[in-house]
Amino acid sequence: MERRGGDRDEKSKFDLLEDSRIDSGIESFGSYHSTMSSVPDHRSGREEQDKLSTDERVDSSYGSSSLTTESLSDLLGKCNVSGARTDQGSPNLHLHITPVDYTEEEGNLLTTVTEDGDTFLHLAIIHEVEEFAHQLINLFPKEILDIQNNLYQTPLHLAVYLNQVSVVKGLVASGACLELQDQDGNTPLHVACEQGRFDCANEMLRYASPSMLTPVFETQNWRGLTCLHVATLHKQHRIMKMLIKKSVDLNIQEGTSGKTALHMAVELHDVDAVILLLKRGANVDAAMLNGCTALHLAVGRQDIAITSHLCQAGADKMIRNIEDETALDLADGNDDILALLPFDDIQLMGRTVSLNY
């Protein structure tokens, strides 16, 4: 990698990680601090003023660092980060610093975890110094790439949130984990589905096989929602199509009331999502925990268009929920709805009997 410090001779090297490898996650911060160099609190009053204001933060993890975009760019201009891995995957890593007036503490910024749990890679992504982020991705072993800050965010979470597609691509190519969850239980793919980060989602899913993605697709956040549910709730149709192409389970139920994506699309009056899910094979008669099908919800909401699509898809009009109600019982005298639900079946000793003439 070409140096940015000119043609001066190299005078010093700092070993960043040597052969240390730790488990990812919030509980690893203690060992990370003991393995990596920490920075003494030597900030001046002027440096304190350089901290990001609250309005500039993406979330609360970003506020404690005195590093700014300018200081990161300055380090990038004066440092050349390079690294290589052995065939066994163990790192052989060094930081090359050109001969400038940098103290040892300033050099140790490159091996620091802040009080908010952010690694230097977190901070490079936060401050959108993407070139430096790529150098650190090439430098760090997988375990460091998956370090979670105090909000349980990995660098991949942040890169997706900030729509840094090339950084997402680099992290995924280096083996960053797709299953780690932040403080809300969201994986990076949940974040992409919520924020509409189609390109980021594409990079995370592009080379993964369906079997590799199954655990990711089944992961629920703390509200009981999988990625498909989140994409449906936020009407991210392109991402929904991508998930379907990767064999996501269309009938997976969320963890609170047992809704499928089809139930959610009906509740949102999202005709396009309903059509998409039905065409791709969603179970039209899937029932929530209370026994309601999508047809119950559509009729109850007096949604004629969606009721029509569900009927055309073969929805069973006689299914009863736990209140012993069929969809017909919920029509509430709406003639347009009733026209879609002809009463052509009768119940005989609890069994539906079709009347054929």
Side-chain angles (χ1 to χ4, degrees), residues 188-224:
L189 189 57
H190 278 88
V191 175
C193 293
E194 178 180 332
Q195 299 295 322
R197 308 304 194 206
F198 176 85
D199 292 333
C200 291
N202 186 46
E203 292 300 338
M204 286 186 281
L205 300 179
R206 177 181 294 182
Y207 301 111
S209 66
S211 61
M212 293 172 58
L213 291 173
T214 296
V216 182
F217 290 160
E218 292 179 348
T219 298
Q220 296 182 358
N221 64 18
W222 307 151
R223 293 192 296 149

Side-chain angles (χ1 to χ4, degrees), residues 11 37 56-57 60-61 66 81 99 118 120 129 147 212 254 309 326:
K11 287 190 176 182
S37 303
E56 295 175 297
R57 302 175 194 168
S60 62
S61 74
S66 63
V81 183
D118 291 313
F120 211 77
V129 190
I147 287 289
M212 293 172 58
E254 51 85 28
H309 285 295
T326 66

Side-chain angles (χ1 to χ4, degrees), residues 52 57-65 114-118 122-123 126 149-153 158 183:
L52 288 176
R57 302 175 194 168
V58 178
D59 62 45
S60 62
S61 74
Y62 307 163
S64 69
S65 172
T114 72
E115 64 188 49
D116 291 314
D118 291 313
H122 284 93
L123 296 174
I126 291 165
N149 63 20
N150 291 1
L151 296 182
Y152 291 81
Q153 297 161 319
L158 297 177
Q183 66 172 359

Side-chain angles (χ1 to χ4, degrees), residues 95-288:
L95 169 69
H96 306 295
I97 301 182
T98 55
V100 293
D101 295 328
Y102 268 77
T103 67
E104 183 174 354
E105 287 83 6
E106 290 167 328
N108 284 341
L109 285 173
L110 296 171
T111 57
T112 271
V113 174
T114 72
E115 64 188 49
D116 291 314
D118 291 313
T119 67
F120 211 77
L121 178 55
H122 284 93
L123 296 174
I125 293 170
I126 291 165
H127 293 286
E128 301 183 273
V129 190
E130 294 190 27
E131 184 177 355
F132 198 22
H134 281 292
Q135 293 185 55
L136 293 174
I137 290 169
N138 291 332
L139 180 68
F140 287 167
K142 178 184 180 299
E143 289 81 357
I144 306 302
L145 296 181
D146 287 337
I147 287 289
Q148 292 169 279
N149 63 20
N150 291 1
L151 296 182
Y152 291 81
Q153 297 161 319
T154 64
L156 185 56
H157 281 96
L158 297 177
V160 172
Y161 189 91
L162 294 170
N163 204 27
Q164 296 178 17
V165 179
S166 67
V167 176
V168 170
K169 181 177 181 178
L171 285 165
V172 173
S174 295
C177 182
L178 299 180
E179 296 178 50
L180 293 175
Q181 296 168 271
D182 66 15
Q183 66 172 359
D184 297 314
N186 291 320
T187 66
L189 189 57
H190 278 88
V191 175
C193 293
E194 178 180 332
Q195 299 295 322
R197 308 304 194 206
F198 176 85
D199 292 333
C200 291
N202 186 46
E203 292 300 338
M204 286 186 281
L205 300 179
R206 177 181 294 182
Y207 301 111
S209 66
S211 61
M212 293 172 58
L213 291 173
T214 296
V216 182
F217 290 160
E218 292 179 348
T219 298
Q220 296 182 358
N221 64 18
W222 307 151
R223 293 192 296 149
L225 303 175
T226 67
C227 293
L228 179 61
H229 297 131
V230 173
T232 304
L233 286 173
H234 290 272
K235 298 186 178 182
Q236 302 294 345
H237 299 157
R238 292 181 70 206
I239 294 180
M240 290 175 66
K241 292 177 182 177
M242 185 190 307
L243 297 177
I244 293 169
K245 186 176 181 180
K246 285 293 184 176
S247 301
V248 69
D249 181 359
L250 295 181
N251 301 311
I252 193 168
Q253 294 177 289
E254 51 85 28
T256 59
S257 59
K259 295 174 186 173
T260 66
L262 183 60
H263 289 101
M264 294 178 175
V266 171
E267 288 185 323
L268 293 169
H269 301 278
D270 189 346
V271 178
D272 291 337
V274 168
I275 294 173
L276 170 64
L277 291 165
L278 291 175
K279 283 186 175 180
R280 300 302 177 89
N283 180 7
V284 69
D285 289 328
M288 298 166 51

